Amino acid sequence: MATFYEDPYQILGLSRQADKSAIKRAYFRLVRQYPPERNPEMFKRIRAAYEALRDSAKRQESDMRLLQDWQARPQKQALEEPDLRIHKEDIIAAAHALSDLRRNDWRELFQAIRFDTTQK
Amino acid sequence: MPKQSQAVGRAKRMAADVRDLGLCYFEANDFDQAIALWQPLSSDAQMRNALAEAYFRRSLNQADPQRLLDLQAALSFRPNDPRLLYQLGLVYHRQGQLEAAQERYTQVAQLTSARWAGLARLRALLALEMGDLQAALHIEGLSRNDLHFIQMVTEVLAGRTAPHAHEGWIARFWHGLGCLAQGDSAGALQAFSQGKPLRISRYQSYYQGVAAFQEGDLEQAVQAWHDALKRGYDGPWLQHNLAIARMALLERLLDSDQLEKAAELALIGSQISNPSARLAELESNILHVAAQEKARQIDWKSASRYWEAACTIVEAYPRLGSPRPLLHNLALAYEAQEAWYQAAETWRKLLRSRPRSQQVQNESYSAEQWRWIQRRAIDCYKQANAFQNAIQLLRNALKREPNELDLRYELSEILFANQQHQAAANELQRIIQLEPQHTRACLHLASYRLANSQIEQAQELLLQLAASQPRDSETRLTLAWLLNQLGQHYETNYNGYQSLRFFQLAIQFAPDSYHYRFDLARALLRNEANEAARAQINEGLRIGFDQTEAYLLAMLCWHRIAHEHEIRLIIARAEQSLSDLSRFYLLAGSALLEASTPLLRARDLSELPNRRVPIARVWLQLAHDLLEQAVRQRPNDGELHAIIASLFLHIRADLSLYYIQQALKLAPQQAELLILYGLILELIGDKRAGREVLLRVSRLAHRQAEHELAERADYVRYQIEQSCLNEAIRVARTQFEIPSITG
């Protein structure tokens, strides 16, 4: 796939459901509008778009190479009002966090173990 | 008695050993092992003390339920240890068993005269939690700081503004909460915006978001709430509030045409849990539209990021619709970036989403389109060299459609590419079983069989194909080539009848190829059918009348039966038909020398008498004449002289010397020529001069920074010194080789 993206239907001003004769008509209309001697770049794009759609095998390939439209199905469930209260649980939890309750390191409470060797 | 006292002594020593071993584990913090060793000795007072310490230390590494059990075990050995009671109180407190916690805290207070650090604050907090605000402020042992802290918490709980807003971050936090409680969101925002104390950052972030939302600063609210989420704030209202704020912010951004900013916000949103289907709808739509916009701007990287995020949202909310168009676009975006593996995986994901029911199928892609998608997945895997994935995909497809021969053929090709030759051949065989006239499979399998010396099977396939008389020109040419290969096999194995048969068959399918005519002519000459061979040679020359190669092949046919006269006739015909005669003379001389010296490649030069490959005088003379003709056509071509010199290296080194000297007259400083010259001097026996030349070339090349040439000169000299003449010749003539026509 080329690194640029051009939708041949868009260039020819057609919908993706356009039939063969509509494609042909659009092509000739645009060629008259942008003759190659005056608009070589535009003509190249029109020609390339037409080539991409003119026969059914190429058109299928082109169609599959096109970006697909998509829209999410509308959802009905509305959001309720925000809850902006101060929660007692949070106050207590914050206070807990500032006390020994959330402390992990208690090394200063450790006592050394020594055995009386005379008991051996 | 002495025996009994000995046994007691032994038991005591063993117990002491166990105790000490337990101590080793204890000191290595392996409390499980220490407890297991000490537990049987718990009747001893020292051991009870040690066990209490081991349980205590182990409890600190445990989650609360297990910690509780360990602390209870420790207390069973040391019932009045305030450390253990305090820890037990903490566990109960965290678990919300407030009365039990209070009881333990009280015990600690009694045992330590309320001087245990941190105890007073906890007791006050506990009183607050139990709803006794007054008691909280009058706990024994509260320090000034503790009192201040409890006052701030009390104020906030009572819905008042906490004082002392400027006494550090923690005070500002309580002040901010107080402001919020009073409805002063601006004051709260100001208090929360001045740094975050680490231990309560999640709460501060959350309430900063609340204040910002109340102030209408949606961006700050969303940012603060994202931050709270990241820091582990787990209040269920956060997700709800965040969804409302994100939704409002996204709508605001869209209203002001800031699609990209909205997409970036939706991108972050796709990574966090979202309770709102409406928000998912909005975010996925934004991401898709932004991705399309990026694709139009050729920014495929951003486009793929957005579609990835949209796919994630739709996967979480299947009610939003089919993700197929999103996956389709994402795969195209990956392909545009040549991210083949991701593209393949995305096409494959799309394939997996294929609906099973026919009715629903009709609403998505047509059968032909599904096949296209499958082909893309396979091609992308191939591009990514992920052959195994492509094989798996094809095998799955073949399970559904075992008679789909194109798929099976594709599978065989990928298996060959993945070096699974036997499996590939089996697939080809299967195709032929299903469709005996499948020409591509027959040709491919025949080629595989030929390459693997499975001659009979190859022959059977080729004869079947030949009998079917395929019409397609490419098929006919391939068939001819394979038949000719088979003919060559028989020719090599001296089976004249079969070689003639297959060369003739090859000509039937490629009548306009002169190569096969000469192969047939050669086989006919071997069978002494000279006139028939002459007819084939003439036909070959008629077809390839303007091709140097045709005349060379014709010459070689007659050379096989040593018909010098016929060769001269061919040369005369070539002189009349070809435009570049110099090239013809050179190639013809070279081909004759090569065809006349079969020993040339068979043996090491140094093993031959006089280091010369023997050659019949007649062929040497004819070849020399031809090469001289070439020189007459291009007398000032130094390279031509050097090529001729290299042709005679194995045969007549004196002639090589003559031609290299001629070449050096035309280009005296050319290093490649000098390397060849040095070698030739060695071959004619002037070893000293040869080595001097090679040394000189090496120095010259070094001076001219032509290090590769210098290395080559040194290498040739080294090989000569090691008596590896063939290798020396191979390297010295590298620049002056011409392709072999005799194969």
Side-chain angles (χ1 to χ4, degrees), chain B residues 76 90 141 152 205 250 259 391 418 436 438 468 514 519 545 591 690 701:
Chain B
S76 71
L90 293 178
M152 288 190 292
S205 289
L250 286 169
L259 178 64
I391 290 167
N418 203 34
H438 197 290
S468 72
Y514 58 80
D519 284 336
F545 71 99

Side-chain angles (χ1 to χ4, degrees), chain B residues 193-210:
Chain B
S193 306
Q194 296 170 18
K196 280 192 175 71
L198 194 61
R199 283 190 281 169
I200 51 168
S201 60
R202 64 182 73 168
Y203 306 103
Q204 180 153 329
S205 289
Y206 174 72
Y207 285 102
Q208 183 183 351
V210 171

Side-chain angles (χ1 to χ4, degrees), chain B residues 646 649-650 671-680 683 694 708-720 724-737:
Chain B
S646 80
L649 280 176
H650 293 91
E672 285 97 340
L673 293 178
L674 285 167
I675 292 172
L676 191 56
Y677 180 47
L679 172 78
I680 293 169
L683 288 176
L694 289 169
E708 201 192 323
L709 274 173
E711 268 176 31
R712 200 188 305 165
D714 292 338
Y715 182 75
V716 170
R717 189 160 51 82
Y718 174 77
Q719 294 300 332
I720 290 170
C724 300
L725 283 178
N726 275 10
E727 177 62 6
I729 290 171
R730 187 189 68 76
V731 175
R733 67 188 293 189
T734 311
Q735 301 291 316
F736 308 112
E737 275 182 317

